[in-house]
Amino acid sequence: MRQWMVISLLAILLSLVLTGCWGRREVDEQAFVLAIGLDKGRENQILVTYQIAIPRIMGGGGGEGRSTGGGSGSGDNNKPVLVTSIESPSLFVSIDMVNTYIHRRASLMHTKAIVVSEELAREKGVGTWVPGLLRFREARRDVLIMVARGSAKDFIENNQPMLDKNVNKYYELLSFSQYYTGFIPRSWLYDFANAIKSKGENPVAILVGVNRTREEALSHDTSQASGPGKRPGQADEQSAEKQYVSEGSYLAGDLPRTGGNKVEFMGSAVFKKDRMVGTINGDETIVLMMLRGEFRRGFISLRDPRQPDMVIPLDVTLGRLPLVKVRLVDGRPEIQVTLQIEADILGVQSGINYADPELIPELEQAFSQKIEDLVRKLIARSQNEFDADIFGFGNKAARLFWTWDEWERFDWPSKFRTAEIKVAVKTRIRRTGLQIKTMPLRG
């Protein structure tokens, strides 16, 4: 009995000693970093830009009523964030450098985005800066990895959400747009860092930019616009007849729009290991997501097969995960990809009754052909232009080898560019909307 009393007493004493937050830091003693921008430095290795929350403004009032230190980078005391930049030899060292003039300790516990400039990503790569965050206990694994067309500092300074003061919520909700548009890829810190080290795939990042030509893009003078016809690989819009321009044929920063936040999320930055090698637009990102089995839903326009000057918007989902079969023929990979797509008709501009069961196969064939063309073009760019397997086909090929040493000796990156890849797309239109018949307009 005495022995049990001693054990119970020791247990009580240990519970008092071992509990508690010995490493605690008060919330009002921390400066929560929402986003980090990385640019090439002039006097040092990198220019690091921090977007830091100002709780008393972001929370809609209240708070302590005292200064959060440092001041706003733009001099506007009503902004919910503080933006500050500093040159440093290292990302982590820059945190302490910032702490020399911001009286609250900078914390990465709520950081949602890492934005790297295109210049830095192309010239020096991101392997030196981004994967190291996985070692840091404060960094979240679901931090978004983005590449900015232009400077990361410029992107962060121009990012001013209109619907919500909570910038952290803005990043989180906007990242979800990959699930209902497909225009941006899934690009989280953990997956990105793994893909850099992987021998079976290469990473992609969300492409972002600042829209500086919104008024010109909507003007009638196409020579001043920055639409899709002005970028390499896109069709020329200047013709006698007005051309159909796909909604996803743009890159971030080029959308023909007015109003709203100046920054845009559209397309992907393609990497070979840790170095950026190119970009793909929104349409190409959609089919990339389909091939990776990550596409959920999106509204995609289809040129009307019978009236090419009009379009038919479809509500598109994947019927099932893509079927990818890899085999080796005389040491050369042969890949067969099958996509099964389901679509619902959202509208018919021409008034043709495509709800007729006899006409539905015509739409299905036309949409399958559109997706096949996009997939083949993207695969050709990946093999010839980027030399990077962004689809993860190598992860399927790895299953053909018994040991890791065999897989390493096979050298998938060098084999991918010569692989024969065949694509088959099957579309099934299940629903025609809330109308069972489309009636033409009568004058």
Side-chain angles (χ1 to χ4, degrees), residues 23-237:
R24 72 184 184 277
R25 292 198 299 268
E26 297 296 336
V27 173
D28 60 0
E29 295 175 357
Q30 300 181 73
F32 292 110
V33 177
L34 307 182
I36 300 174
L38 301 177
D39 293 285
K40 284 181 61 178
R42 293 185 178 181
E43 299 181 6
N44 219 319
Q45 290 286 327
I46 53 173
L47 174 68
V48 185
T49 300
Y50 288 96
Q51 188 179 50
I52 302 173
I54 302 178
R56 61 186 175 86
I57 299 179
M58 185 176 291
E64 304 170 1
R66 64 182 182 181
S67 171
T68 56
S72 173
S74 61
D76 187 350
N77 293 328
N78 292 322
K79 289 187 176 181
V81 294
L82 176 154
V83 177
T84 181
S85 301
I86 191 166
E87 293 202 13
S88 168
S90 164
L91 171 59
F92 294 106
V93 170
S94 70
I95 298 175
D96 275 355
M97 296 175 71
V98 167
N99 286 331
T100 62
Y101 58 92
I102 296 180
H103 68 268
R104 295 190 179 192
R105 184 182 185 277
S107 170
L108 305 187
M109 294 179 64
H110 293 284
T111 302
K112 283 293 184 180
I114 304 293
V115 187
V116 184
S117 71
E118 184 174 352
E119 181 185 22
L120 180 64
R122 285 184 182 273
E123 294 184 12
K124 293 187 176 181
V126 300
T128 307
W129 324 107
V130 174
L133 286 169
L134 290 173
R135 296 177 179 270
F136 191 41
R137 61 185 178 275
E138 288 186 2
R140 296 172 177 261
R141 290 342 187 221
D142 59 352
V143 171
L144 297 171
I145 304 300
M146 309 176 185
V147 173
R149 300 179 70 197
S151 78
K153 178 177 181 291
D154 190 37
F155 172 83
I156 290 178
E157 288 179 341
N158 281 279
N159 187 10
Q160 301 176 16
M162 300 295 182
L163 300 180
D164 201 329
K165 286 185 177 181
N166 191 333
V167 181
N168 212 29
K169 193 69 172 179
Y170 169 83
Y171 286 120
E172 183 176 351
L173 292 178
L174 198 54
S175 70
F176 291 158
S177 69
Q178 63 184 283
Y179 299 131
Y180 54 84
T181 68
F183 286 145
I184 62 174
R186 190 178 74 176
S187 180
W188 295 325
L189 173 61
Y190 183 79
D191 293 332
F192 188 88
N194 282 345
I196 286 178
K197 301 175 182 178
S198 173
K199 294 184 177 296
E201 66 174 312
N202 290 105
V204 294
I206 300 170
L207 190 67
V208 299
V210 179
N211 192 310
R212 299 192 180 280
T213 56
R214 292 175 292 169
E215 301 296 338
E216 291 86 347
L218 290 181
S219 69
H220 296 289
D221 185 3
T222 57
S223 64
Q224 296 180 1
S226 62
K230 294 302 177 183
R231 295 191 303 277
Q234 301 293 331
D236 188 358
E237 290 183 272

